[in-house]
Every structure is written in structure tokens, then in C-alpha cells.
Amino acid sequence: MLRFVAHRIVETISVLFIIATLTFFMMRLVPGGPFDKEKASAPEIRKAIEAYYGLDRPFLEQYLKVLKGYLQGDLGPDYKYPNRTVNELIGDSFPVSLELGLLSLLIALVLGITAGLIAAVRRNSVFDYSAMSLAMIGICLPTFVMGPILALLFAIHLHWFNASGWDFARDRVLPAMTLGCYFAAFIARLTRGGMLEMLSQDFVRTAKAKGASTARILFKHALRGGIAPVVSFLGPAAAGLITGSFVVETIFDIPGLGRFFITSAFNRDYTLVLGTVLFYAVLIIFFNLLVDILQLWLNPKLKFD
């Protein structure tokens, strides 16, 4: 296990180095800069600002300075928010995205696994067809379509929840449902497929022959192996949920990290774009590692590769 984790850490360092390098040079090659405005400022003022942030230096020198800062845990100053660093902006906005992601993940797991279990147990029945039809609708409806529909119905017409903001408990419901239902659709189909495979195994038929109850067969014998496909899916899904959805945070006006990433890309805010990209990359790699370890726990027959 230790050798496996150490090997993945070495791979992570290499991946992060490649991501940082590509993102840095791609942002620098894009036309425009962080201090371009609708009304051009005086040339001497712009030169002074660029000199202050070191943007007048050669690309290679800027790149080495950025790498040195990252090795020290410093993501650099932000160009669009005076007297704020990228570390501070991520630290302030990520808890919001984390809360939204955890709520969405809880909704996705509860709805998805429940629907998948019902569909597998009642195979080829009206429950199976209904659950899988709803799952297919959820897959086909992207978040930028489902979000406005939920806001129009439950916020504008019924006035049950708020359509924007992040100040009250009711503000969390619609964005969490928008993200959670989308991922619940995938989890439902994966759970159904995994459970059907497990319920057809010999040891399950043996348990039925011995008189074991349906609940015991499901939760003691079949569930552990049946949710293995869901566990594989949870790596990138959990990272995507917890880092926050760019679209959902924009639709519901949530002050999370995803919205900062979008605005930084439009503003050519080099340091914030690079910092958030690396932060997302670390989260995705971390959750994929957790999923690999969890899969090994669920199925000890797997080998560390």
C-alpha cells in the first residue's frame, strides 16, 4: 500500500508540473492581458503596473518565478482584486463550493443508489422502467437546462426557495438539487447494472436457497460488489461536485470557486486561472487516489498497479 501511494505521489508531481507549464504558456499566448481596459490608460502607468507585477520580464523568467512560488505554497498576487492573493481568494471561496458539492454528492448517492436498487430488485417491472426513464432524462438534461427550470418552478412560481444567493438554508436547495440530480442519474444506472450482475452470481442463489431474506441478500451479500462501478465513478464525480460547477454557481449567483474561475478567464487574470487550475487538478488526483484505495478495500483480489 505504501509503495502504491508513493508511486501515485510521484506521478502527481509530474502531472502537476505538466499542467502548470501548459496553463502558464497558454495563458501568456492568449491575446490581451490582465490590465487591458475598455479605456486605455497612459502608457507609463501601464508599464509601471506591469513592472510591479513582473510582467515586463521574459516569459522564461516569469515561469521560473511562478514555479518557485508554487514550491513555497505561494500562488501569487491577484491582478484584479487589489491587495488580495490567490491563496486568500481560493481560501474564501472554496468552502462555499465544498458545501455545495457535499450536499449535491449526498443527494446524488441517496437518490441514485436507491433508484438503482429498486430497479435491480424489480427488474423489468414498472419500477425498473420508471427509474431508468427518469435516469435517462436526468442524463439528457444538462445542469444549465435543469437549473433554470427548477428556479422557474420552485423559486419564481411557488416561492418555496430562493433563486440566487448563499445566505440562508433555503438558498442551498435548488443548486444542490440541480447538481445532485444530474449525477444521481449516472449513479442509478451504474447501481442497477452492478446489482444485476451480483444478483446473478452463484453465491446469491445459494443464499436464496438457504432462505435468506431479500434485505440480507441485498445489503450483506450483493451490495458491496454491486456498487463497485459507482465507486469508480465517484472519483471524478466527487471532484467535480466539490470543486463546484461553473454553470450552477453562475446561474444561482453563488460566490464559489467556480465563478471566480470563469471571471478570471475572461479578465486574463493569469495567477488566479493558474492557481485554480492547479487546485482543481490536485483535488481530482486526490479523489481518484481515494477511489483506488476504496476499490481495493471492497475487492481485495485487485492488485496494486
Side-chain angles (χ1 to χ4, degrees), residues 126-140 189:
V126 64
F127 298 99
D128 184 13
Y129 296 142
S130 299
M132 291 301 100
S133 297
L134 290 175
M136 184 59 65
I137 293 174
I139 293 174
C140 295
R189 294 182 64 85

Side-chain angles (χ1 to χ4, degrees), residues 153-212:
L153 178 61
F154 293 104
I156 297 177
H157 288 299
L158 298 178
H159 303 287
W160 290 358
F161 310 108
N162 293 336
S164 63
W166 197 256
D167 300 319
F168 307 100
R170 61 179 179 270
D171 297 339
R172 276 77 168 161
V173 177
L174 293 182
M177 287 297 296
T178 301
L179 273 176
C181 289
Y182 178 72
F183 284 93
F186 292 94
I187 293 175
R189 294 182 64 85
L190 290 172
T191 302
R192 179 185 182 275
M195 290 301 297
L196 287 178
E197 182 179 355
M198 295 304 298
L199 291 175
S200 64
Q201 298 296 317
D202 293 337
F203 69 88
V204 173
R205 288 194 290 267
T206 302
K208 288 180 180 179
K210 290 182 177 180

Side-chain angles (χ1 to χ4, degrees), residues 1 4-5 8 11 231-232 234-235 284-299 302-305:
M1 174 69 78
F4 170 74
V5 174
R8 292 297 295 270
E11 289 182 348
V231 174
S232 301
L234 283 182
I284 292 173
I285 293 171
F286 172 74
F287 280 109
N288 284 331
L289 176 60
L290 285 183
V291 166
D292 289 341
I293 295 174
L294 185 58
Q295 283 183 316
L296 290 168
W297 176 75
L298 290 173
N299 188 1
L302 296 176
K303 296 181 179 180
F304 294 101
D305 291 326

Side-chain angles (χ1 to χ4, degrees), residues 112-123 125 127-128 131 191-192:
I113 293 178
T114 302
L117 286 175
I118 294 174
V121 173
R122 301 293 185 89
R123 183 181 182 182
S125 68
F127 298 99
D128 184 13
T191 302
R192 179 185 182 275

Side-chain angles (χ1 to χ4, degrees), residues 18-60:
I18 295 173
I19 291 175
T21 302
L22 291 176
T23 307
F24 176 87
F25 286 103
M26 288 174 64
M27 286 300 300
R28 291 302 195 275
L29 294 175
V30 172
F35 304 111
D36 291 343
K37 299 179 180 180
E38 294 182 2
K39 184 178 180 180
S41 58
E44 58 272 12
I45 296 178
R46 179 165 179 168
K47 288 182 179 180
I49 295 175
E50 292 178 348
Y52 176 79
Y53 287 107
L55 296 178
D56 58 338
R57 302 290 184 179
F59 277 3
L60 182 59

